[in-house]
Amino acid sequence: MGEHSDRRHFLAQATLLAGAMMVGSRARAQADQKLRCAVVGVGGMGGYGMDRALEELPVALCDADQNTLDGAVKRVTDAGHPVPRAYPDYRQMIEEMEGEIDVVLISSPDHQHAPCAVRAMNAGMHVFVQKPMGHNIRECYEMARIAGETGVLTQMGNQGHTGESLRRAIEYLQAGVIGGVYETHTILGRNFGGQGGVPEVKAPPANLHWDTWLGPAPYREYHDGLHPFSWRNWRDFGTGTIGDMACHNLDCLFFALKVAQAPTYTIECLNTTGGADGWWSQDNVVVYTIPARDDMPELKSYVYDHTGLVGGAMKQIAADSEMNLGEETYYLGGKGYYMTGGTASSARQLPIEGH
């Protein structure tokens, strides 16, 4: 991506492909056919996309890290599939394989989610994209609009959302097992971000297609603390702790307490550190005030980046309930307490003997 195009131009160009690329694959798979899958971002969370593609027919793989890409190709052939086509750049993959891909599974860094998904949808390819859906709210609205216009099937991956534990927790809370919930405390269990300027620049590793990895982000020279995981600390690439983890750990709360029915809400930042020179801020504590909606009372929802920020009252509730504070949400109701674990993988009424 030698032109180092900015994000707005990148998305605009992707959207303009609609007219030229709509003759792509359309719901080709039937009951006796395998879906032709492409996986974009085959390392890290891309392992999930690889697992699903291997159950179908992986025809294309894409990753800006050549070593990771080569390893994924070997995994496909070791599983007995034909050699997939391999690309460091999803733009080339989508253009060259129009009509040969049914679904694209996207697990790239956050800033690449929308540009890749938009191109795929405009090419008539169905899309599964890992959370967060986009790098900012505008991208999410654009993705939803284009999905509606193109008629493709789409889904955002969010661990735990389709699980039985989350469904059961929603039913319990809406049935009033702890009465009306007036306060919640959510620990996200991360502390992405930092301060102190950009690290010393250096040549990118030989296996990393650096311009392609940057994609639509503003150009910068390569430095430590980006690939393959810590890009989450930077505003140009990630979404901070809340953007990265709240979709997991506020998921049950959002649906169980009918937050979407509130026409407005307020948010106040109670604590934050760092955040200069392109880093996300750290040690964040925020409180959302959600007005009464349907049969739910006004809600104060406190969100902490990590356990070190939690106050004494919550520590006491956890101690009284024989719980160790971790990546959890605690619900305070008129008749008692409730807890859901990270991604709602566990749920219980508190104290434990009342569960």
Side-chain angles (χ1 to χ4, degrees):
M1 203 171 299
E3 71 274 17
H4 310 315
S5 56
D6 63 33
R7 176 170 214 81
R8 181 174 297 175
H9 176 73
F10 193 98
L11 281 172
Q13 290 296 102
T15 304
L16 288 173
L17 291 174
M21 300 181 73
M22 281 298 294
V23 190
S25 59
R26 290 286 188 180
R28 173 179 99 49
Q30 299 179 15
D32 60 345
Q33 293 179 308
K34 294 287 188 179
L35 287 168
R36 300 171 297 179
C37 300
V39 183
V40 176
V42 297
M45 287 304 299
Y48 173 87
M50 287 293 298
D51 290 344
R52 302 289 76 77
L54 288 170
E55 295 172 355
E56 300 291 333
L57 179 60
V59 295
L61 305 178
C62 178
D63 202 288
D65 186 315
Q66 192 65 48
N67 290 348
T68 303
L69 182 59
D70 292 345
V73 171
K74 184 177 185 301
R75 186 181 173 195
V76 169
T77 56
D78 286 350
H81 291 289
V83 178
R85 293 169 70 174
Y87 297 88
D89 190 328
Y90 56 76
R91 298 174 303 172
Q92 181 183 6
M93 179 192 78
I94 291 170
E95 181 178 353
E96 291 184 1
M97 297 192 68
E98 179 184 355
E100 300 177 51
I101 294 171
D102 294 313
V103 58
V104 181
L105 308 169
I106 303 170
S107 300
S108 60
D110 299 348
H111 71 295
Q112 298 271 24
H113 285 187
C116 180
V118 166
R119 285 179 177 268
M121 289 187 289
N122 283 336
M125 301 170 185
H126 308 294
V127 168
F128 174 94
V129 61
Q130 285 288 354
K131 66 81 192 166
M133 182 171 157
H135 193 229
N136 55 58
I137 296 298
R138 179 179 177 272
E139 287 185 351
C140 296
Y141 279 120
E142 284 298 296
M143 293 164 75
R145 178 183 65 81
I146 293 168
E149 290 177 354
T150 58
V152 298
L153 301 177
T154 61
Q155 183 178 5
M156 183 190 78
N158 191 8
Q159 291 151 286
H161 183 74
T162 57
E164 181 62 24
S165 179
L166 181 137
R167 300 269 189 264
R168 188 181 299 114
I170 291 173
E171 291 177 5
Y172 284 174
L173 289 164
Q174 291 188 348
V177 293
I178 61 168
V181 177
Y182 59 88
E183 189 172 305
T184 62
H185 295 261
T186 298
I187 303 166
L188 300 178
R190 303 291 188 277
N191 200 23
F192 297 130
Q195 56 188 318
V198 177
E200 181 181 357
V201 300
K202 59 174 63 176
N207 57 290
L208 185 62
H209 300 267
W210 178 236
D211 279 1
T212 304
W213 189 95
L214 279 175
Y219 185 76
R220 67 168 72 195
E221 299 293 339
Y222 177 83
H223 57 77
D224 289 336
L226 290 174
H227 176 71
F229 182 83
S230 295
W231 49 264
R232 292 168 171 83
N233 294 324
W234 297 90
R235 291 179 179 270
D236 284 343
F237 312 114
T239 53
T241 299
I242 287 182
D244 198 272
M245 296 303 297
C247 52
H248 290 318
N249 297 341
L250 293 178
D251 191 23
C252 181
L253 180 160
F254 185 86
F255 288 94
L257 305 184
K258 304 178 181 179
V259 173
Q261 294 189 21
T264 62
Y265 67 90
T266 62
I267 180 172
E268 180 182 2
C269 180
L270 305 179
N271 190 78
T272 190
T273 64
D277 299 313
W279 298 88
W280 281 105
S281 59
Q282 294 180 298
D283 304 313
N284 299 293
V285 180
V286 298
V287 56
Y288 298 86
T289 300
I290 313 296
R293 61 256 166 250
D294 195 17
D295 56 346
M296 303 283 177
E298 180 182 271
L299 173 68
K300 294 280 189 181
S301 181
Y302 294 84
V303 182
Y304 312 85
D305 277 5
H306 55 84
T307 56
L309 302 165
V310 179
M314 282 308 303
K315 291 180 179 178
Q316 190 60 53
I317 289 174
D320 292 345
S321 302
E322 301 178 9
M323 299 289 297
N324 294 318
L325 284 175
E327 191 178 317
E328 298 146 353
T329 294
Y330 289 82
Y331 304 75
L332 282 60
K335 299 191 296 184
Y337 307 137
Y338 198 79
M339 183 278 293
T340 54
T343 70
S345 56
S346 61
R348 64 179 57 182
Q349 192 172 350
L350 301 175
I352 294 174
E353 56 265 23
H355 180 64

